[in-house]
């Protein structure tokens, strides 16, 4: 059994953390390696040149040869006390010598024989005697250089090693980016999202237009002394487009968008969350006007009493957010947006004036909005003429924008897999069912007995659902396995409703029981199978929420009870009511489910012939659509015992 609200749709993982840190690290490491290599190369050439190619000769020998016309020296370069000697048949010094003893080299007899000569005289002199050139004494530097040459590579190596170790650590615990905000910046280069990309949700867009206008022309508001909102809280179910909406505000206003997710704070060390917040806010202020977006803020800002002891770190992070927001000047030009799907869980301190005092509700789309969203996501995809988006919009009551986007994507994938040139309606239907329940598993072989049990099980759901007056109409029944279920019965909600009556809910409980009850009627008590576990789970969950959240118990009518689901207590704080009350609640839940089973049984007993017929048809055709169901189901009747006392 399944109702047709897509459930358990895999949520997108939060996008990976930002890479600006990583990028700069990579650049640094490349640079580092490059410098190291250069250094090494320099070292090798220089050292070998100095060591290998010059022959040390005694100074007396040099002076003697320099004063001899056949001494074969063309040039002597004197640097401090070092002499570099170039021989006549060479163009580079090949010998070296060192001054020793007191007095200058000149005093010791190294004279420039050609000094003062010019023209041909100079030329003929230079053929015999060496030119003597005194260069500035860089000897002191030479020593430093020598030392540096030996020490620097070692230092470089040590630093390099330390850096490698640090990187290895960072990979383990991310301590590298300590205190740096991992905020993503959606700059102008990123594909800009505007309100056009957000379908439906007109009232939310209207509320946000004002924010956009402020970001575009803050002066207009300042002149009139208007207080600019600082914090805007987007509240709504998961997948309704809150994140999308926040990006659209940035896109419309054309300002930088700094985004971080509350869950990212959760994984930090003590004190890091707070410093990330500081970093984030200072970045945003530097880039004002700008938007800071804290996604899933409930992860750091849940009610203090609901935290159950843990979470000092969260508290620091939260406090830092509050401090930063309080410290804003009116003209800082930074607007903080946050998103949550649990407003009721937020710490009240966040919602005070001057903080997140603007609330924008992002709701699940209504039928016409769903159509718009589908159009947005099918735009740019080739589709056949038979694709009926209106029918899809009708079937998807309760689906979020993310669910619909997912269906559009699945349809394209299905079409590609089937080798279609364009998306056909059958691809769309398959995608919808796939997203709602899971992929069809034609390959899963069921033996005849299993098929028969499944056929009766689904027929049971369909008949109970059809017969009970407040249940939705049956849309389709199939015994082709899909996802983890053996078969599926789809009910079509005729229209969107915000509220459900107790009668409707009780009919939903009964039709969910219909599957197992049919199995029991036909195959006997012993034959009850494991195929109904998800039905029973649904019954248990719905019955519980009817009692503890909606005040629908028979003895506890209009009383509600704090529950874990509503966040009013946690495992650590324990139940805020007595054991006796707990027993009463359990009793009420039991009463609802046994009443549902009894009603289902009376319906199926009264319509045994139809049950057999429908099961038979299912075994023959596997899938029956509305039109094929209609002639079979029209022979059913509502027994007195299944009626509710209204
Ligand atoms: P939330 O932040 O509320 O959980 P997201 O903004 O992350 O939801 O929505 C997820 C995806 O669902 C979006 O990227 C978009 O593709 C789609 N989506 C949701 N709402 C809409 C919408 N109103 N119009 C168009 N696409 C939507
Ligand atoms: Zn079932
Ligand atoms: Mg989101």
């Amino acid at each position: 059994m399944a109702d047709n609200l897509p459930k358990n749709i895999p949520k997108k993982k939060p996008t990976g953390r930002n890479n600006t840190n990583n990028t700069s690290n990579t650049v640094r490491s490349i640079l580092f390696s490059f410098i190291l290599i250069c250094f090494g190369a320099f070292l090798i050439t220089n050292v070998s040149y100095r060591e290998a190619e010059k022959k040390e000769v005694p100074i007396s020998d040099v002076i003697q040869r320099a004063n001899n016309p056949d001494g074969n020296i063309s040039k002597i370069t004197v640097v401090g006390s070092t002499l570099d000697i170039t021989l006549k048949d060479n163009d580079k010094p090949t010998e070296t010598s060192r001054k020793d003893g007191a007095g200058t080299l000149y005093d010791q007899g190294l004279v420039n024989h050609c000094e003062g000569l010019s023209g041909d005289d100079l030329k003929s002199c230079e053929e015999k005697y060496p030119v003597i050139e005194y260069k500035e004494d860089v000897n002191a530097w030479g020593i430093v250089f020598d030392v540096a040459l030996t020490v620097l590579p070692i230092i470089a190596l040590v630093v390099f090693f330390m850096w490698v170790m640090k990187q290895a650590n960072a990979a383990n615990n991310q301590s590298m980016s300590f205190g740096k905000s991992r905020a993503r910046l959606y700059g102008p280069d990123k594909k800009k999202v505007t309100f056009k990309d957000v379908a439906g949700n007109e009232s939310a867009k209207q509320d946000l237009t004002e924010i956009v206008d402020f970001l575009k022309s803050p002066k207009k508001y300042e002149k009139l002394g208007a207080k600019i909102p600082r914090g805007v809280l987007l509240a709504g179910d998961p997948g309704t487009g809150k994140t999308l909406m926040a990006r659209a505000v940035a896109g419309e206003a054309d300002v930088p968008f700094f985004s971080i997710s509350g869950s990212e704070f959760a994984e930090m060390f003590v004190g890091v969350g707070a410093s990330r917040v500081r970093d984030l806010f200072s970045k945003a202020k530097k880039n004002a006007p700008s938007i800071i977006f804290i996604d899933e803020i409930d992860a750091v800002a849940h009610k203090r009493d609901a935290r159950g002891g843990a979470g000092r770190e969260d508290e620091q992070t939260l406090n830092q957010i509050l401090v930063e927001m309080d410290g804003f000047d009116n003209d800082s030009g930074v607007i903080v947006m946050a998103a949550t799907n649990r407003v009721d869980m937020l710490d009240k301190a966040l919602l005070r004036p001057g903080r997140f005092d603007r609330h924008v509700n992002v709701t699940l789309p209504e039928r016409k909005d769903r159509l718009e969203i589908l159009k947005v996501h099918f735009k740019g995809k080739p589709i056949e003429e038979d694709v009926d988006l209106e029918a899809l919009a009708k079937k998807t009551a309760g689906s979020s924008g993310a669910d619909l986007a997912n269906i559009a994507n699945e349809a394209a994938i299905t079409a590609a897999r089937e080798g279609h040139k364009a998306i056909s309606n059958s691809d769309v239907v398959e995608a919808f069912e796939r997203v709602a329940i899971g992929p069809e598993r034609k390959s899963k072989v069921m033996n005849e007995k299993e098929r028969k049990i499944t056929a009766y099980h689904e027929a049971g759901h369909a008949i109970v659902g059809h017969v009970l007056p407040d249940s939705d109409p049956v849309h389709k029944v199939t015994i082709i396995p899909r996802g983890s279920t053996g078969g599926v019965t789809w009910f079509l909600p005729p229209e969107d409703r915000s509220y459900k009556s107790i009668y409707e809910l009780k009919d939903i409980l009964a039709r969910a029981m219909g599957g197992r009850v049919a199995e029991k009627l036909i195959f006997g008590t012993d034959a009850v199978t494991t195929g109904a576990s998800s039905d029973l789970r649904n019954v248990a969950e719905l019955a519980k929420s009817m009692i503890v959240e909606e005040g629908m118990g028979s003895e506890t009518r209009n009383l509600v009870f704090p529950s874990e689901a509503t966040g009013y207590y946690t495992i650590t704080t324990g139940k805020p009511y007595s054991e006796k009350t707990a027993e009463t609640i359990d009793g009420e839940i039991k009463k609802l489910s046994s009443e549902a089973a009894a009603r289902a049984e009376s319906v199926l007993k009264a319509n045994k012939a139809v049950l057999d017929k429908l099961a038979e048809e299912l075994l023959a055709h596997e899938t029956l659509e509305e039109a094929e169901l209609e002639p079979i189901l029209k022979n059913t009747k509502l027994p007195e015992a299944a009626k509710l006392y209204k």
Side-chain angles (χ1 to χ4, degrees), residues 1-2 457-458 461 487 489 511-512 514-516 519 531-532 534-535:
M1 178 272 176
H457 179 106
E458 297 307 328
H461 285 313
T489 302
R511 84 183 184 205
R516 163 152 282 193
E519 285 182 44
S534 82
D535 294 338

Side-chain angles (χ1 to χ4, degrees), residues 34-53 145-146 148-150 153:
F34 182 72
I35 291 172
L36 228 93
I37 289 168
C38 288
F39 213 102
F42 176 71
L43 206 71
I44 289 163
T45 52
N46 205 35
V47 167
S48 59
Y49 171 72
R50 285 154 63 100
E51 300 305 324
E53 302 205 348
F145 191 71
D146 278 353
L149 268 187
T150 40

Side-chain angles (χ1 to χ4, degrees), residues 237-244 261 293 295-296 339-341:
D237 289 327
T240 45
K242 298 179 294 294
T243 307
L244 188 69
S261 169
F293 179 55
D295 210 350
E296 295 158 37
T340 180
N341 38 38

Side-chain angles (χ1 to χ4, degrees), residues 424-502:
S424 71
N425 202 48
S426 65
D427 298 328
V428 172
V429 170
E430 165 65 16
F432 161 64
E433 296 181 359
R434 207 184 163 82
V435 167
I437 313 271
E440 228 174 49
R441 291 180 304 152
K442 288 207 174 100
S443 59
K444 187 189 175 203
V445 233
M446 285 204 281
N447 64 34
E448 261 323 293
K449 175 86 177 175
E450 283 174 332
R451 282 186 81 234
K452 202 169 168 196
I453 293 174
T454 307
Y456 271 99
H457 179 106
E458 297 307 328
H461 285 313
I463 290 170
V464 175
H466 178 79
V467 167
L468 295 180
D470 292 296
S471 168
D472 304 317
V474 187
H475 168 59
K476 181 174 174 175
V477 186
T478 175
I479 56 166
I480 297 173
R482 190 178 267 292
S484 57
T485 63
V488 188
T489 302
W490 307 85
F491 295 92
L492 183 66
E495 65 198 63
D496 293 307
R497 283 157 306 185
S498 311
Y499 304 109
K500 282 193 159 73
S501 70
I502 185 171

